[in-house]
């Protein structure tokens, strides 16, 4: 691969940031050396009804398996995100809402208004029978009422399970049933990129397969005509008229459940990840502040959907716990034009944008002119999460979008971890494109070989976390045995992330892809991310996905799927050129054995490539593609199967 560039901490960041390089070392060292005091000190960031006196109490060993943080503390998460700010910043904007259609007006809610809206929503939930511990499914478009509903659950102690509004009735029904949810909050319709999404109709369809469902609360969003079932469906705006304006927050134990969230399903059946109240909120708030050097007055934009953990932790809980102004975007990056994201940045004078590599690659392939015609003068930081970011996309983000001014904060984490685990702090960490850099306080990453031996120094292996941290998930809903089995059985005493990783001489971490995706070519272990990054570096390539395939001689061969930039033609010559390109970039061992041009790749609804399906196609095993219900566009699979290279 080309030499790794290092982007030193810009001088002004080193001076003015909350944490500089020495500060990071000190904080990190302390967090591992004396976790009890470190975390009790950090716990002061939250507003407790009863302040905890114990920090972590956990064991990853099978015979004593338990994970608890601040277990003797009591708090309410919604009160932490709203009520405690009322005195100091009640009139500050808490949420800016940017509609799908740029011709419409944005909406803004101050902390005072947010308080009123959430109390009213909470009272509607209560009036319809929701109680502490009940599961409320939220299947909503990206409208402010989605935030109100989430925070209303937190206020009354109901456990929310947000299901992404792009999911099908089947996927929704499965998630309602899995957690025995009796109530769904939805809207008549959603809108994305100018197109309606029939949310209420989907709920009606899902209800046929979800007998536990008894109540559906419907928010009027677009005003579309929808069927209402007598005795089950309730219009929110009607119910809201007859409830009191104030709703006292429910005192919750730190370990009481806050939410269930199903993982994206990149590798198989989604797991109902359960997070609890105190530790999760602390983690979301702390990492939001440290990774993004959040300052009062910053306009913060996490361009994810609240259906994903990124939306939970970095649209709502983290920023609101910190009293921030958080932007919520209803639309998509490419509509009405590929300038949209940057236009929203200008419209609201956004300081930080946090998005995913998949969105960046989609915008990159449309050309720089869409970015260039906007100002982006307000930006100070750019963040990314979700997949390894190809150095090519990193540089584009840094140079074209940020004009070299804004550090790139590449955050590695998972639904399971609650918030960022390995990520830079802009005033402390020199950056290397493609590396999530170094661990957050309290996070002890280790690389292990398949036998569980801990590997030292610059090396590559399976990424495990050797100790608990406050934001860690507590169980798989309804299946504690699966929780232990999935994450703690492979390497006893450690949390196994499922990701492969390399550590360099500077102690930087480079995620190489899922462990399942590591390819073993003639005894050489190779991460898929590296080969993909090499392909994407080619000027005609927009996106690439690489998987292993059976190979008589090498054991495994490399099968590459390549999507070209808009307007580029595929040809046999280009195929040869791309194979040679990878050979030159990485070495002969990495040369793809087969290369298929693909107009689209199978992606989850959160935009991640589903390599499991690509692997099956590469193996020629197309009869058993498994669960494809979380795919964004199942039709791309047919094209891939039809044009398989054998
Ligand atoms: P499932 O667990 O159901 O297969 P998923 O792993 O895609 O789905 P998420 O929790 O949304 O569900 O994603 C976490 C995973 O995303 C990580 O384990 C890692 O593979 C990848 N990932 C996230 N952020 C980064 C990053 N900054 N760099 C590299 N990989 C990342
Ligand atoms: Mg996962």
């Amino acid at each position: 691969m080309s030499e790794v560039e290092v982007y030193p901490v810009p001088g002004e960041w080193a001076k003015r940031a909350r944490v500089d390089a020495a500060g990071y070392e000190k904080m990190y060292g302390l967090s591992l050396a004396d976790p009890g005091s470190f975390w009790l000190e950090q716990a002061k960031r939250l507003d407790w009804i009863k302040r905890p006196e114990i920090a972590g109490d956990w064991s990853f060993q099978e015979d004593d398996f338990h994970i608890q943080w601040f277990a003797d503390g009591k708090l309410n998460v919604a009160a932490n995100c709203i009520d405690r700010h009322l005195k100091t910043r009640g009139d500050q904007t808490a949420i800016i809402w940017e509609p799908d259609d740029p011709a419409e007006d944005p909406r803004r809610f101050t902390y005072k208004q947010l308080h009123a809206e959430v109390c009213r929503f909470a009272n509607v939930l209560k009036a319809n029978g929701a109680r502490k511990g009940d599961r409320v499914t939220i299947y909503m478009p990206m409208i402010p009422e989605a935030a109100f509903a989430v925070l209303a659950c937190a206020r009354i102690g109901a456990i929310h399970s947000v299901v992404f509004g792009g999911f099908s009735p089947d996927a929704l029904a499965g998630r309602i049933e899995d957690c025995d949810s009796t109530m769904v909050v939805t809207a008549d319709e959603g809108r994305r990129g100018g197109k309606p999404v029939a949310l209420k109709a989907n709920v009606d369809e899902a209800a046929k397969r979800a007998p536990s469902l008894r109540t559906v609360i419907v928010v009027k969003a677009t005003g579309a005509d929808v069927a209402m079932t007598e005795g089950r469906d309730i219009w929110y705006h009607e119910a809201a008229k007859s409830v009191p304006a104030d709703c006292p927050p429910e005192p919750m134990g730190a370990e009481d459940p806050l939410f269930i969230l199903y993982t994206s399903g990149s590798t198989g059946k989604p797991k109902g990840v359960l997070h609890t109240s105190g530790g999760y909120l602390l983690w979301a708030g702390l990492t939001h502040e440290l990774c993004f050097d959040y300052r009062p007055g910053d306009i913060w934009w996490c361009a994810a959907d609240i259906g994903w953990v990124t939306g939970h932790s970095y649209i709502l809980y983290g920023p609101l716990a910190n009293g921030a102004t958080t932007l919520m975007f209803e639309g998509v990056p490419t509509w009405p034009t590929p300038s949209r994201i940057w236009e929203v940045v200008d419209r609201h004078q956004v300081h930080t944008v946090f998005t995913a590599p998949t969105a960046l690659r989609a915008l990159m392939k449309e050309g720089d002119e869409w970015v260039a015609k906007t100002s982006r003068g307000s930006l100070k930081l750019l963040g990314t999460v979700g997949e390894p970011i190809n150095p090519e996309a990193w540089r584009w983000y840094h140079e074209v979008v940020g004009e070299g001014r804004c550090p790139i904060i590449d955050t590695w984490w998972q639904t399971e971890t609650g918030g960022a685990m390995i990520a830079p702090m802009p005033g402390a960490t020199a950056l290397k494109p493609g590396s999530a850099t170094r661990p957050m306080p309290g996070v002890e990453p280790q690389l292990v070989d398949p036998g569980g031996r801990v590997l030292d120094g610059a090396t590559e292996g399976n990424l495990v976390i050797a100790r608990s941290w406050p934001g860690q998930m507590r169980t798989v809903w309804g299946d504690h045995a699966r929780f232990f089995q999935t994450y703690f059985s492979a390497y006893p005493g450690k949390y196994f992330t499922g990701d492969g990783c390399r550590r360099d001489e500077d102690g930087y971490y480079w995620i190489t892809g899922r462990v399942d995706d590591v390819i073993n070519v003639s005894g050489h272990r190779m991460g898929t991310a590296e080969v993909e990054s090499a392909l994407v570096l080619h000027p005609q390539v927009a996106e690439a996905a690489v998987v292993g395939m059976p190979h008589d001689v090498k054991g495994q061969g490399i099968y590459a799927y390549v999507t070209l930039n808009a307007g580029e033609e595929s040809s046999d010559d280009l195929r040869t050129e791309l194979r040679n390109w990878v050979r030159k970039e990485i070495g002969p061992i990495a040369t793809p054995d087969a290369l298929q041009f693909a107009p689209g790749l199978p992606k989850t609804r959160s935009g991640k490539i589903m390599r499991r399906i690509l692997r099956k196609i590469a193996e020629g095993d197309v009869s058993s593609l498994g669960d494809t219900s979380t795919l964004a566009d199942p039709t791309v699979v047919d094209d891939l199967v039809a044009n398989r290279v054998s």
Side-chain angles (χ1 to χ4, degrees):
M1 234 28 249
S2 11
E3 291 237 325
V4 175
E5 320 102 282
V6 179
Y7 293 68
V9 176
E12 75 278 15
W13 274 99
K15 261 191 258 131
R16 67 158 194 245
R18 279 177 188 280
V19 183
D20 61 10
Y24 168 76
E25 298 302 340
K26 190 167 163 225
M27 185 183 215
Y28 185 71
L30 199 65
S31 73
L32 296 196
D34 187 1
S37 326
F38 181 84
W39 288 115
L40 286 178
E41 185 60 31
Q42 289 299 329
K44 294 181 183 158
R45 321 173 47 85
L46 300 183
D47 194 22
W48 298 89
I49 298 167
K50 178 188 175 295
R51 181 169 290 176
E53 283 164 32
I54 34 178
D57 171 12
W58 56 273
S59 159
F60 293 167
Q61 301 295 341
E62 189 163 18
D63 53 3
D64 183 30
F65 182 54
H66 68 283
I67 302 169
Q68 291 196 325
W69 283 88
F70 314 114
D72 60 335
K74 276 202 178 335
L75 81 172
N76 180 280
V77 166
N80 268 276
C81 291
I82 307 169
D83 305 42
R84 69 160 155 160
H85 303 311
L86 293 178
K87 255 199 235 124
T88 46
R89 46 172 78 92
D91 294 319
Q92 179 202 305
T93 303
I95 297 180
I96 303 174
W97 178 73
E98 168 71 20
D100 186 47
D101 184 345
E104 282 175 28
D105 288 331
R107 292 165 71 189
R108 289 185 177 78
F109 300 85
T110 64
Y111 273 95
K112 270 188 199 147
Q113 289 166 326
L114 181 62
H115 180 260
E117 297 284 358
V118 170
C119 283
R120 194 164 313 128
F121 218 112
N123 281 327
V124 168
L125 297 180
K126 279 212 280 202
N128 286 285
R131 295 285 173 269
K132 180 174 174 177
D134 289 353
R135 275 79 59 209
V136 174
T137 300
I138 298 179
Y139 182 63
M140 287 283 269
M142 282 287 286
I143 57 176
E145 287 78 4
F148 306 157
V150 164
L151 293 163
C153 287
R155 195 163 190 90
I156 66 172
I159 306 171
H160 58 76
S161 164
V162 182
V163 176
F164 172 54
F167 273 129
S168 66
D170 254 343
L172 173 62
R175 287 161 175 75
I176 294 172
E177 280 302 278
D178 187 77
C179 65
D180 287 312
S181 172
T182 58
M183 188 183 281
V184 170
V185 178
T186 190
D188 45 6
E189 267 186 347
R191 306 178 305 177
R192 272 170 73 85
K195 294 194 207 86
V197 186
L199 294 175
K200 176 59 169 62
N202 286 352
V203 172
D204 293 341
E205 199 49 42
K208 295 180 190 156
R209 268 154 285 167
S212 63
L213 180 57
R214 285 198 304 270
T215 310
V216 181
I217 295 178
V218 189
V219 172
K220 201 186 250 315
T222 65
D225 208 8
V226 294
M228 296 291 278
T229 300
E230 187 72 45
R232 187 196 69 187
D233 300 351
I234 292 146
W235 281 111
Y236 175 73
H237 63 275
E238 284 170 10
K241 281 185 206 147
S242 51
V243 296
D246 191 36
C247 172
E250 184 77 25
M252 303 290 286
E255 282 299 337
D256 282 337
L258 178 63
F259 65 84
I260 298 166
L261 184 62
Y262 292 85
T263 54
S264 346
S266 306
T267 54
K269 185 177 177 284
K271 301 167 274 281
V273 167
L274 183 94
H275 281 288
T276 57
S277 302
Y280 168 79
L281 188 66
L282 175 65
W283 196 250
L286 178 68
T287 51
H288 171 251
E289 185 176 282
L290 292 178
C291 299
F292 301 102
D293 196 64
Y294 168 74
R295 297 309 177 97
D298 284 358
I299 308 290
W300 161 261
W301 181 17
C302 166
D305 191 282
I306 58 153
W308 313 123
V309 72
T310 307
H312 283 57
S313 301
Y314 298 116
I315 296 176
L316 297 179
Y317 288 120
L320 294 176
N322 292 336
T325 298
T326 181
L327 191 146
M328 200 173 162
F329 175 44
E330 187 185 26
V332 296
T334 46
W335 189 81
T337 73
S339 288
R340 185 66 193 278
I341 296 271
W342 324 120
E343 284 167 3
V344 174
V345 165
D346 287 349
R347 185 180 205 178
H348 299 290
Q349 292 296 295
V350 169
H351 294 105
T352 310
V353 175
F354 188 27
T355 186
T358 180
L360 295 173
R361 288 192 300 262
L363 295 175
M364 221 171 125
K365 109 177 157 192
E366 302 290 340
D368 298 356
E369 61 274 20
W370 296 105
V371 185
K373 59 160 72 142
T374 60
S375 153
R376 287 155 288 114
S378 57
L379 286 175
K380 64 169 201 179
L381 272 183
L382 297 166
T384 158
V385 60
E387 284 183 289
I389 181 164
N390 328 87
E392 177 80 349
W394 194 104
R395 275 182 228 111
W396 184 80
Y397 205 19
H398 189 255
E399 268 126 57
V400 178
V401 175
E403 294 171 354
R405 228 180 38 245
C406 310
I408 306 291
I409 307 300
D410 176 5
T411 62
W412 173 83
W413 57 294
Q414 314 177 295
T415 310
E416 294 89 336
T417 71
M421 297 287 281
I422 301 181
M425 298 182 195
T429 323
L431 306 174
K432 303 185 188 185
S435 169
T437 76
R438 303 188 56 197
M440 286 287 114
V443 173
E444 191 186 354
Q446 286 179 349
L447 302 183
V448 296
D449 70 12
R453 201 164 54 92
V454 177
L455 306 168
D456 291 325
T459 185
E460 186 169 341
N462 294 344
L463 177 63
V464 299
I465 311 292
R467 62 171 81 198
S468 183
W469 65 99
Q472 184 168 28
M473 73 182 281
R474 301 297 196 259
T475 192
V476 171
W477 180 262
D479 200 347
H480 202 55
R482 186 177 174 202
F483 178 48
F484 182 85
Q485 181 58 33
T486 308
Y487 303 101
F488 303 93
S489 63
Y491 304 106
K494 298 171 203 284
Y495 168 81
F496 177 40
T497 64
D499 287 339
C501 186
R502 182 164 68 79
R503 185 173 49 221
D504 69 17
E505 343 28 81
D506 300 323
Y508 277 50
Y509 289 84
W510 302 73
I511 304 295
T512 51
R514 321 267 171 164
V515 168
D516 299 350
D517 296 332
V518 170
I519 311 174
N520 194 328
V521 184
S522 309
H524 298 269
R525 285 162 56 81
M526 220 168 331
T528 48
E530 192 176 9
V531 186
E532 288 161 8
S533 291
L535 283 163
V536 175
L537 211 51
H538 188 279
Q540 280 159 283
V541 174
E543 195 154 45
V546 164
V547 296
M549 65 175 202
H551 192 286
D552 290 345
V553 183
K554 307 186 205 172
Q556 269 191 311
I558 296 178
Y559 194 112
Y561 298 83
V562 170
T563 305
L564 297 176
N565 280 327
E568 300 286 356
E569 289 283 335
S570 63
S571 67
D572 284 340
D573 284 350
L574 183 56
R575 178 179 286 121
T576 310
E577 183 181 324
L578 291 174
R579 295 182 66 228
N580 289 335
W581 174 271
V582 177
R583 175 194 299 265
K584 183 175 90 351
E585 284 291 322
I586 310 180
I589 191 81
T591 314
D593 298 277
L595 192 147
Q596 175 173 350
F597 292 107
L601 297 171
K603 291 193 181 167
T604 63
R605 299 273 169 168
S606 54
K608 298 181 193 213
I609 297 166
M610 227 195 247
R611 287 187 183 70
R612 176 169 61 80
I613 290 179
L614 295 175
R615 221 181 292 133
K616 291 268 184 197
I617 297 173
E619 287 164 5
D621 180 10
V622 295
S623 57
S624 56
L625 294 178
D627 182 10
T628 54
S629 69
T630 60
L631 274 182
D633 176 9
T635 62
V636 301
V637 175
D638 301 334
D639 177 89
L640 292 170
V641 170
N643 295 301
R644 179 172 174 267
V645 185
S646 47

